[in-house]
Amino acid sequence: MNELKTLNTLLKRFQNQKPIRASSLIISLYGDTIEPHGSTVWLGSLINALEPIGISERLMRTSIFRLTQDGWLESEKVGRKSYYRLTTQGHRKFEQAFQRIYSPNIQTWNGSWLLIIGSHLNPDEKKLLMDELQWQGFATFSTQLIASPCCEKQTLKAILLSLNLEEKVIVFEASSNTQFSNKPIQELVRDCWNLDALSQHYQEFIELFLPVWQELSELDTLDPQSCFLTRTLLIHDYRKLLLRDPHLPRELLPIDWEGRAARQLCRNIYRKLTPATEKWIEHNLESVHGPLPEANALFYERFGGLNS
């Protein structure tokens, strides 16, 4: 089997982080690998799986404990072994992120906007609201105006109710007028969402993973463990990018938007790595009932279909 030489670059980059963010990587692994394979995994096999990435047994146990304390994970003890799965709350937290990662297409924009006037919010309430709304594609247009071209009304309503702020804001729905130029809107979007910085992050992702794709394209057989480690780091890095991305409609993004190229690259690498990765998972990760079961049907729909 051919071990991936480009994996060394990815491993060194992750290990050079100060501090190593093990908890974030574990959540990436749960979303990408554990959930479609039955949701539960033995701690011992997790330790063995991520040790080559640079996560020691001590760091793994500390990270799992913190994730449990923070409501992400819950445990089940069987004999002397501990098995962990995502809590309902933990699943809900990452579900939307992973839907964005694997969804095949960005929906067409109908030109509508949701506008929020927050003149009655104090600074703490405004920060609390923006922490929730940034993930829904909202940005601050002025001291009092927050706007998004991609958030659904029901989603916004649920957020306002959960924060008990529905009586402190005014919400409008508006639409872009096609009789006028879109250029001022695109310039406003570029500034308000800081697309230049996000574009640079996408470019760095492409530069990091393009050599991986080039190496994969030259190999006929692949080492399963190398594929598992590479896929884990690929999705981890891509997930971190999407946490910064407001997921704006295609019509408001630059024609040469780097996010499209990064997505295509991620999709191609993921598809190439998956067959060998799945073999490694089924032989090396353990559930309460033995080896992890095969991935569910939804797994093979990722990125528009992994078998196509």
Side-chain angles (χ1 to χ4, degrees):
M1 291 292 183
N2 293 304
E3 295 186 2
L4 297 176
K5 297 177 181 178
T6 48
L7 175 59
N8 292 328
T9 300
L10 304 181
L11 292 174
K12 288 178 181 178
R13 178 173 174 269
F14 182 83
Q15 292 163 7
N16 286 336
Q17 295 179 98
K18 302 298 180 187
I20 291 179
R21 302 191 179 280
S23 295
S24 179
L25 182 68
I26 292 168
I27 290 300
S28 294
L29 179 65
Y30 262 89
D32 185 62
T33 298
I34 309 304
E35 281 295 289
H37 285 273
S39 305
T40 303
V41 68
W42 173 44
L43 176 57
S45 59
L46 270 185
I47 292 170
N48 294 333
L50 296 186
E51 188 276 333
I53 292 181
I55 299 178
S56 66
E57 179 176 349
R58 181 179 179 182
L59 179 55
M60 173 64 80
R61 291 184 181 277
T62 300
S63 301
I64 290 290
F65 175 77
R66 289 175 178 168
L67 287 169
T68 304
Q69 292 295 105
D70 291 341
W72 280 93
L73 299 176
E74 58 188 3
S75 64
E76 176 184 0
K77 194 91 168 179
V78 179
R80 300 181 64 180
K81 291 184 175 181
S82 296
Y83 298 84
Y84 286 85
R85 61 179 173 269
L86 286 168
T87 62
T88 302
Q89 176 188 358
H91 188 276
R92 186 169 56 249
K93 283 182 179 179
F94 82 80
E95 185 176 18
Q96 189 176 29
F98 281 93
Q99 285 176 348
R100 284 191 183 183
I101 290 172
Y102 306 117
S103 62
N105 295 303
I106 298 175
Q107 293 184 351
T108 302
W109 184 48
N110 63 5
S112 66
W113 293 79
L114 280 179
L115 309 176
I116 302 174
I117 296 178
S119 56
H120 296 293
L121 297 174
N122 62 46
D124 290 340
E125 290 171 335
K126 181 174 286 188
K127 182 182 183 306
L128 182 65
L129 181 59
M130 280 307 301
D131 286 345
E132 291 290 328
L133 292 183
Q134 282 177 340
W135 177 243
Q136 300 297 334
F138 279 88
T140 301
F141 276 33
S142 70
T143 55
Q144 305 297 340
L145 181 63
I146 305 169
S148 170
C150 50
C151 181
E152 296 182 359
K153 286 179 285 188
Q154 291 302 316
T155 301
L156 174 58
K157 184 175 181 179
I159 291 172
L160 292 174
L161 286 171
S162 69
L163 299 177
N164 199 27
L165 295 177
E166 70 277 12
E167 300 294 334
K168 290 197 170 186
V169 299
I170 302 171
V171 178
F172 292 97
E173 188 173 11
S175 60
S176 298
N177 195 316
T178 57
Q179 296 181 24
F180 299 92
S181 170
N182 278 332
K183 186 176 180 180
I185 293 179
Q186 291 173 335
E187 291 175 353
L188 180 67
V189 166
R190 194 177 197 106
D191 291 339
C192 290
W193 277 275
N194 199 7
L195 292 187
D196 289 338
L198 182 58
S199 174
Q200 179 61 36
H201 290 309
Y202 274 123
Q203 186 59 44
E204 291 168 0
F205 176 88
I206 293 169
E207 292 171 0
L208 178 63
F209 284 98
L210 185 58
V212 177
W213 172 242
Q214 292 168 339
E215 182 181 14
L216 287 170
S217 301
E218 296 170 357
L219 298 175
D220 294 325
T221 57
L222 300 172
D223 171 59
Q225 185 180 35
S226 293
C227 290
F228 164 75
L229 295 173
T230 300
R231 196 181 84 175
T232 299
L233 291 171
L234 170 77
I235 288 300
H236 180 57
D237 272 17
Y238 193 57
R239 180 176 79 92
K240 289 192 298 181
L241 270 177
L242 290 187
L243 288 174
R244 303 172 183 154
D245 193 329
H247 207 59
L248 297 173
R250 189 183 300 269
E251 293 84 351
L252 295 178
L253 294 170
I255 295 176
D256 57 348
W257 178 238
E258 285 80 356
R260 298 190 192 104
R263 180 171 191 79
Q264 185 67 35
L265 179 61
C266 182
R267 170 183 176 271
N268 290 345
I269 294 174
Y270 195 91
R271 282 184 167 187
K272 187 76 171 179
L273 292 171
T274 287
T277 297
E278 291 302 295
K279 290 179 181 178
W280 190 91
I281 290 168
E282 290 167 17
H283 285 88
N284 292 276
L285 294 180
E286 181 182 327
S287 72
V288 176
H289 305 291
L292 292 192
E294 293 183 6
N296 58 37
L298 287 176
F299 170 81
Y300 290 98
E301 296 178 9
R302 291 177 172 182
F303 292 111
L306 298 179
N307 295 324
S308 59

